[in-house]
Amino acid sequence: MIAQEDGKAGWMLPRGTEIRDRVAASDPGLSRLRSALGATVSMGTALGVEYLLAHFTGADPKGALVGMLLGAVVAMMGSMALGDSPAWTKVKTAVFFPVAFGAGMVPGAAVGAHPDLMLVVFVVVMFLAVFVRRFGPVFFFYGFMAWMGYFFASFLHATVETLPALLLAVVVASVWVLLLSLTVLRTSPERTLGQVVRAFDARGRALARSCADLLSSPDPHQDVRLRRRVQRRQARIAEAALMIEAWSAQPGAVPEGFSAAALRRAMVDAHHLLDQLATSACALVDSGSGLAVLAAEVSDRLARHDDRGASQVAYRLAALAEGAGGTAGGWWPARHFAA
């Protein structure tokens, strides 16, 4: 869409596209949103399931409350532990949730009546919970679950007689969160990979916008702030590139007819080119060359998704830089930028 701005013709993104870009760039693949929604849904529904379990088993109000709290904790940690892994991996991971909680509950119930011993074992359990993280990401959650199991059992002064009811609540919550992750909260690797690629594209245009602001800034005192913005957006692009690499390795993520290796190579090339764009923009500003005006227009058109217009201006910039050669300051950064 072409619009008039300050007497000049400029390329304007539709408002809806701009909003979608901002949303996509803020959360690649909507991973944080999905994680938050998954934890909320898992915890909220687990409370209801544990309440029904307490009702059918005839638990007293205190037992029902303890079961609901324990189920909510299992659901919260379980939803994060299962994450976006394949279905069979989720099953194998969830099977050991009750084992991890039980490993903490048994010693907690054994020492709950002895405060001094309870504190000593608390330190030992905490050490072991952290130590097992060395065996992989899933053991981070197993260790945390064992620690929470010990905390629940010791804090509530659980006894051997009450352990079966607590473990039943853990088993039911584990089955429930696994069922949710395989159905309602299941993610599509192909759709998520597409969303992350769109986030990379949106963050690339945001970097181009920052380069345009830096190149066209009339106030040298603003350069430091604008350069920091460029650096922050470079880091955000690196984050999106790493997420693309991770998701492309998931089974079924890459559409049929495409290659995960080819996608990763394309992302590496695009990431490298965007870094070079930012580097040459900063060098061009340092040179004080008047060629920065055309470079700013190139970045501006890239930011507004006018790729054809950006290419035309880049050819003009390259021709001027080549024509000036070593007689004009900043000719080499300008040539590099145009390339």
Side-chain angles (χ1 to χ4, degrees), residues 115-138:
D116 294 337
L117 184 59
M118 181 179 70
L119 292 175
V120 173
V121 177
F122 176 81
V123 175
V124 175
V125 171
M126 182 179 293
F127 170 80
L128 293 175
V130 175
F131 176 78
V132 297
R133 296 181 184 182
R134 66 190 296 269
F135 298 109
V138 69

Side-chain angles (χ1 to χ4, degrees), residues 59-333:
D60 57 20
K62 179 183 177 181
L65 179 61
V66 170
M68 291 172 67
L69 291 175
L70 187 57
V73 171
V74 175
M76 178 187 68
M77 290 189 288
S79 66
M80 293 186 291
L82 299 179
D84 301 314
S85 53
W88 181 236
T89 302
K90 291 181 179 181
V91 174
K92 291 189 293 184
T93 301
V95 163
F96 292 98
F97 288 172
V99 176
F101 270 96
M105 285 182 174
V106 171
V111 301
H114 308 281
D116 294 337
L117 184 59
M118 181 179 70
L119 292 175
V120 173
V121 177
F122 176 81
V123 175
V124 175
V125 171
M126 182 179 293
F127 170 80
L128 293 175
V130 175
F131 176 78
V132 297
R133 296 181 184 182
R134 66 190 296 269
F135 298 109
V138 69
F139 283 89
F140 171 88
F141 296 101
Y142 288 157
F144 193 17
M145 289 176 180
W147 182 84
M148 287 300 298
Y150 178 83
F151 175 79
F152 261 89
S154 59
F155 181 77
L156 296 172
H157 300 290
T159 61
V160 176
E161 290 76 17
T162 59
L163 276 181
L166 295 177
L167 289 174
L168 178 61
V170 172
V171 170
V172 170
S174 300
V175 172
W176 179 249
V177 73
L178 174 62
L179 181 63
L180 286 177
S181 69
L182 293 175
T183 55
V184 179
L185 302 178
R186 182 172 58 89
T187 58
S188 167
E190 182 177 350
R191 183 172 61 250
T192 303
L193 177 61
Q195 291 170 341
V196 178
V197 171
R198 285 193 290 275
F200 181 92
D201 189 36
R203 289 186 173 189
R205 288 197 291 274
L207 176 61
R209 165 55 53 208
S210 296
C211 290
D213 293 341
L214 176 62
L215 288 162
S216 61
S217 174
D219 185 3
H221 299 293
Q222 296 294 326
D223 283 359
V224 174
R225 179 179 61 83
L226 294 173
R227 286 173 192 267
R228 287 175 180 168
R229 182 186 297 172
V230 169
Q231 292 169 355
R232 286 196 302 268
R233 291 186 171 175
Q234 282 181 276
R236 284 163 60 82
I237 287 174
E239 177 192 21
L242 290 173
M243 292 183 68
I244 290 172
E245 182 176 2
W247 274 104
S248 64
Q250 292 287 336
V254 181
E256 188 176 352
F258 290 85
S259 164
L263 173 62
R264 287 194 288 269
R265 284 196 299 270
M267 286 300 105
V268 168
D269 291 342
H271 184 198
H272 175 70
L273 288 171
L274 287 167
D275 272 344
Q276 292 300 308
L277 185 79
T279 300
S280 55
C282 292
L284 192 53
V285 170
D286 290 336
S287 72
S289 171
L291 296 173
V293 175
L294 276 181
E297 186 177 350
V298 173
S299 286
D300 179 70
R301 289 178 180 271
L302 285 174
R304 298 177 187 275
H305 216 171
D306 180 13
D307 296 341
R308 177 175 297 181
S311 178
Q312 292 171 351
V313 179
Y315 276 113
R316 288 167 49 200
L317 175 61
L320 287 174
E322 290 288 351
T327 62
W331 73 274
W332 175 244

